[in-house]
Amino acid sequence: MAQVVSLILDEAARLVTLAGPGGTGKTRLALEAAGELVGEFGAGVFWIGLAPVRDPALVVDTIAQTLGAKQELAAHIGEKQLLLVLDNLEQVVESAVELASLLRACPNLRLLVTSRELLRVDGEVVYPVPALAEPEAVELFERRASAVRRDVSWDGEVEAICRRLDCLPLAIELAAVRVKVLSPAAILERLEQRLPLLVEGARDAPERQRTLRSTIEWSHELLTSEEQRLFARSAVFAGGCTLEAAEAVCGAELGTLSSLVDKSLLRHTNDRFWMLETIREYAAERLEEAEEAEELMTRHADWYCALAERAQPELQTSRGPEWFDRLEAERGNLRLALDRALALGEADRALRLTGPVWSFWRTRGYWTEGRRGLENALALATDGQLAQCVDALWGAAVLALWQGDESVAVAHSNRLLALARQHGLPRGEALALEVLAIVAANQRDLARARGLFEASLQLARDVGDPSLVAVVTSNLGEVALIEGDFEQAVVLYEESLAVGEEHGDRDRRARALANLGTATFALGDTTRARGLFGGALGAALEIGSRASVGVMLLGLAACCAAEDPVRSTRLLGSAEALTEELGAADYQFERELREETIGALRAKLGEESFSVAFAEGRLRSLEDALADAAGVAHT
């Protein structure tokens, strides 16, 4: 750790790669080093976990989202003293060129990368992560072995086993669990007999990587044929799977899954079965050899298409929190299925994987990822798939609108409107009119906005879509709010809330309460507004929403500005940081409320105290900001 810290602080080493095979402890070393370096970087140290990311084009987006960059990432970083820790870059190593350009553009930026593959760009300083020292390796083996068999004893074999395995932690763990059926002496004998035959990996691969592969291969050969088959099939999942998915896609039986968990080739946490990436890569090779990969990927895609379609109606009911969490856990699998559908030109599957879940991307704040997926799916669509295009076009339009790309939102909405009118799809027409009305309201063409909203509302009622009725009613409240008719805005927001409450829709509840809070604050009832914003925040947290939390923090900041200006200023800083991270559009009424509150706080605190508190709010974690906001709501 001392060596890594020293390297990062060296002016000549702005990109340090912790290299080595999976299982050597690269991530843990990076975490410890990052903790030591927090005080050395004025703008902060940020951890970006890239294991779930498979598209190199998403790496910079992921960094930007973590940093809250609203503009281009290089411009956002500028000359800030910043350390970014990028963990598990190997599967998106093609992003290295972009990362090198970012370093050139930002003179005080440093990168600490963990990867099984070198980046091979100018300025990279490679630190090969060493294996454990032998005493530590022996201790690890003995702890793991004792956990599976209490009566085991050894007499010098463990040191030999660890040396044979190059003291690699993962290799040691795989070997140690074998004491359940083999003595340490038998383990050593098998290693001595078989390992020399299993080190003939790629000539350019590090020796330790070939040794680790040999250990996995040896463990694999000890499996029954049924276990080997399921082990290979399990590689079809990205980020693990539920028992239900394993049974449907892989034909898994619980007993075989449990056996693989016992043998450390599968892991089981939070009701999910998953593999270390190193082991999954080996399993994927076995799947290719079995010539089942194509069939398994097709089953995988069909399962996750069906899951997305099951999720769509549930997201707007009392079961919403459960389903938002379920989709979060399956992001890797949804991405994998979508990437494959796009690569094969399967428009039907691509639309089934995007249209039903776009509201998940919106609510959880994955706007750039959602837009890219929706637009790529729509690019494959044909006229024969119009009904499937409705939700995808609506989602693409809304996400573009929320990120301030009104021209893109209008283009998607006009396409939807034309298709809907041509083919008699009244719900599609209602959705298109709703987005076009929002654009008109943003442009202050309020008469046109009202007319479009009313037409959309009538269509929504005609087709019996209560969720859409609630959305459009709320948007009519927005028009009233802009016009200064706060009493009418309250009436409309309460109508929208009532529809959401009837169906247990937490997302609608969160947004309706936030809107009610805004209108109530405008009427001068700060006490009620505080409770409404607090209720909105609670509903948002139930579904893990980040989409509207910024306006809730802003509202609570305005509510407590008079009696607690420092706390109010910190909340404003946190709200701004979150809004920038999401790349959210800045709507006029919110902007006016923010500016009015900031003006009052500057006058009360003075410029220096205001700036300090605002910066503190921007830099603190979202969890800390939410805890502070909850305190305001319950004061």
Side-chain angles (χ1 to χ4, degrees):
M1 186 173 71
Q3 290 171 338
V4 171
V5 168
S6 178
L7 273 178
I8 294 169
L9 294 177
D10 185 345
E11 291 296 327
R14 297 182 55 214
L15 167 58
V16 176
T17 300
L18 303 184
T24 53
K26 301 185 297 295
T27 296
R28 182 55 182 265
L29 177 58
L31 274 167
E32 296 292 337
E36 287 289 310
L37 289 160
V38 168
E40 301 292 336
F41 292 86
V45 176
F46 291 83
W47 180 270
I48 298 104
L50 296 171
V53 180
R54 290 293 179 272
D55 183 354
L58 287 176
V59 171
V60 168
D61 284 338
T62 302
I63 296 171
Q65 188 177 61
T66 302
L67 297 184
K70 192 171 184 181
Q71 71 265 53
E72 183 184 3
L73 183 57
H76 175 80
I77 295 173
E79 297 188 0
K80 294 173 184 172
Q81 288 187 317
L82 196 66
L83 173 63
L84 302 181
V85 184
L86 308 180
D87 189 41
N88 288 111
L89 191 71
E90 56 270 2
Q91 78 281 0
V92 283
V93 74
E94 294 85 354
S95 64
V97 174
E98 264 189 292
L99 295 174
S101 298
L102 186 65
L103 280 170
R104 288 192 293 272
C106 306
N108 297 316
L109 173 66
R110 303 291 177 90
L111 299 181
L112 175 59
V113 174
T114 74
S115 179
R116 296 199 293 269
E117 183 175 346
L118 303 186
L119 277 61
R120 303 190 188 284
V121 294
D122 254 350
E124 181 184 26
V125 175
V126 179
Y127 185 88
V129 177
L132 294 172
E134 187 172 304
E136 296 167 340
V138 168
E139 181 183 359
L140 176 62
F141 183 98
E142 292 177 353
R143 284 188 181 186
R144 295 294 184 268
S146 297
V148 297
R149 184 175 169 186
R150 292 289 181 182
D151 63 344
V152 67
S153 61
W154 38 76
D155 184 20
E157 300 95 348
V158 175
E159 288 84 350
I161 290 171
C162 292
R163 284 194 295 271
R164 207 70 186 100
L165 298 176
D166 288 343
C167 294
L168 292 172
L170 178 56
I172 291 165
E173 290 191 344
L174 288 169
V177 296
R178 292 300 167 202
V179 302
K180 192 171 185 178
V181 292
L182 297 171
S183 69
I187 291 173
L188 180 59
E189 181 182 354
R190 286 175 176 256
L191 283 174
E192 294 287 0
Q193 290 172 348
R194 303 186 66 84
L195 200 54
L197 302 175
L198 302 173
V199 295
E200 298 171 2
R203 292 185 184 278
D204 60 347
E207 181 65 30
R208 290 193 181 98
Q209 187 167 358
R210 284 182 266 163
T211 303
L212 179 60
R213 176 185 176 84
S214 301
T215 307
I216 300 171
E217 194 158 18
W218 171 69
S219 295
H220 175 260
E221 289 191 0
L222 294 177
L223 300 176
T224 66
S225 59
E226 183 181 357
E227 289 168 345
Q228 286 183 346
R229 189 179 305 111
L230 181 55
F231 172 72
R233 290 179 172 183
S234 298
V236 76
F237 296 104
C241 65
T242 61
L243 174 61
E244 185 183 14
E247 290 171 335
V249 177
C250 301
E253 293 183 356
L254 181 57
T256 311
L257 284 167
S258 298
S259 180
L260 290 173
V261 171
D262 288 343
K263 294 171 182 176
S264 293
L265 290 170
L266 271 184
R267 300 200 172 190
H268 184 253
T269 51
N270 299 323
D271 292 328
R272 293 181 68 78
F273 294 92
W274 57 280
M275 288 177 165
L276 292 170
E277 282 303 304
T278 305
I279 294 176
R280 180 171 175 260
E281 288 173 11
Y282 180 86
E285 292 176 12
R286 304 287 74 76
L287 183 61
E288 289 291 341
E289 287 177 0
E291 298 182 350
E292 288 190 311
E294 191 67 28
E295 178 187 350
L296 265 291
M297 288 302 294
T298 299
R299 285 192 214 165
H300 177 277
D302 288 341
W303 170 261
Y304 285 100
C305 284
L307 180 72
E309 290 167 343
R310 285 165 59 196
Q312 184 175 24
E314 299 287 0
L315 295 174
Q316 297 168 346
T317 69
S318 59
R319 296 184 64 197
E322 171 191 338
W323 277 91
F324 276 107
D325 288 345
R326 185 165 184 181
L327 291 179
E328 184 73 51
E330 300 293 3
R331 271 182 80 200
N333 284 309
L334 290 167
R335 275 178 177 169
L336 180 64
L338 177 58
D339 288 347
R340 182 175 184 273
L342 294 172
L344 295 175
E346 296 175 343
D348 177 75
R349 282 198 177 102
L351 290 167
R352 290 175 66 197
L353 286 161
T354 54
V357 301
W358 77 265
S359 64
F360 161 76
W361 284 320
R362 178 201 63 201
T363 299
R364 287 290 170 102
Y366 306 128
W367 298 352
T368 299
E369 177 181 347
R371 286 181 65 185
R372 180 180 286 114
L374 288 160
E375 288 170 0
N376 287 339
L378 287 166
L380 298 176
T382 64
D383 286 346
Q385 296 161 318
L386 297 176
Q388 288 176 269
C389 288
V390 169
D391 283 308
L393 281 168
W394 185 38
V398 171
L399 290 178
L401 187 64
W402 280 38
Q403 289 193 314
D405 292 341
E406 288 189 354
S407 60
V408 174
V410 168
H412 287 311
S413 299
N414 282 335
R415 181 183 173 192
L416 175 56
L417 186 61
L419 290 172
R421 286 176 171 171
Q422 181 181 354
H423 297 277
L425 303 170
R427 178 174 174 271
E429 183 177 353
L431 298 173
L433 292 174
E434 187 255 349
V435 177
L436 292 171
I438 294 173
V439 174
N442 290 345
Q443 296 173 350
R444 294 301 175 267
D445 188 349
L446 299 184
R448 181 169 186 266
R450 188 183 297 280
L452 291 171
F453 278 136
E454 288 173 350
S456 176
L457 182 60
Q458 187 57 55
L459 286 165
R461 286 172 174 156
D462 291 345
V463 299
D465 189 332
S467 176
L468 185 55
V469 168
V471 169
V472 181
T473 301
S474 178
N475 286 329
L476 277 168
E478 198 78 15
V479 174
L481 194 68
I482 294 169
E483 291 174 331
D485 190 348
F486 304 135
E487 290 86 354
Q488 179 61 16
V490 167
V491 170
L492 291 166
Y493 289 145
E494 286 178 340
E495 286 182 19
S496 175
L497 175 62
V499 176
E501 297 282 52
E502 183 180 346
H503 294 85
D505 185 344
R506 304 294 202 284
D507 190 31
R508 171 53 33 204
R509 174 177 172 79
R511 286 189 280 159
L513 286 174
N515 290 335
L516 263 175
T518 303
T520 303
F521 183 84
L523 286 169
D525 190 346
T526 304
T527 301
R528 184 178 182 226
R530 188 191 299 253
L532 289 166
F533 284 123
L537 193 60
L541 294 180
E542 283 188 68
I543 54 172
S545 172
R546 297 164 75 237
S548 349
V549 168
V551 70
M552 298 166 195
L553 296 178
L554 168 62
L556 287 167
C559 288
C560 72
E563 73 271 18
D564 197 341
V566 172
R567 186 184 227 179
S568 173
T569 304
R570 288 181 182 140
L571 286 173
L572 284 176
S574 299
E576 180 176 281
L578 178 60
T579 300
E580 289 180 3
E581 180 185 337
L582 294 173
D586 197 13
Y587 294 106
Q588 182 176 331
F589 198 86
E590 293 169 20
R591 184 168 59 249
E592 290 173 355
L593 178 59
R594 183 183 303 108
E595 290 172 355
E596 180 182 333
T597 306
I598 286 174
L601 291 169
R602 277 197 166 113
K604 188 178 288 284
L605 293 174
E607 186 60 38
E608 184 177 351
S609 296
F610 173 84
S611 297
V612 169
F614 193 80
E616 289 173 352
R618 282 186 58 89
L619 291 173
R620 67 182 171 177
S621 68
L622 180 58
E623 290 74 17
D624 288 344
L626 292 175
D628 196 13
V632 173
H634 294 99
T635 301

